[in-house]
Amino acid sequence: MIRRPRDDGGQTTAEFALALPLVTLLVLLLVQAAAVARDRIAVVNAARDGARTAIVEPTLASVTAAVERSTSLDPQQLGVELRGGTDPGDVVTVVVRYRCVTSIPLIGALVPDIDLTEEFAAVVE
């Protein structure tokens, strides 16, 4: 009697079909995490630039303009707040808030939008 080798091609295809959605979901989740990290870095840099501007010209309009110029984030999702005094020697704090929209397919429905906040304080010159 001659024995034929077993063909496991069907089983491999079935296992691949079961694992593929999970792997795809994990990859999309990693891409979304990278997008949030990118936005976080942009918010930190925007707050830092706003604080630099507030040192010289501590008005909300000038700080907001500096924050919007320094980043490619969506201005509709961006909020700028200025706290503290405006006289030389006063401490002024710039607070930047950004709503990071989770827009990656499938993940956007599972993960809510993330609010990012950063603040920098500086002494007015």
Side-chain angles (χ1 to χ4, degrees), residues 10-78:
Q11 180 181 354
T12 304
T13 303
E15 289 173 355
F16 178 72
L18 289 173
L20 185 62
L22 293 174
V23 171
T24 303
L25 197 62
L26 283 174
V27 168
L28 291 174
L29 189 61
L30 286 173
V31 169
Q32 183 64 59
V36 170
R38 179 202 62 210
D39 289 349
R40 174 75 179 144
I41 291 169
V43 168
V44 169
N45 288 333
R48 186 178 302 126
D49 286 344
R52 284 188 196 130
T53 301
I55 289 171
V56 180
E57 190 178 345
T59 63
L60 182 59
S62 64
V63 171
T64 302
V67 166
E68 289 178 356
R69 270 192 319 267
S70 71
T71 183
S72 62
L73 296 174
D74 180 15
Q76 301 296 330
Q77 304 293 334
L78 195 61

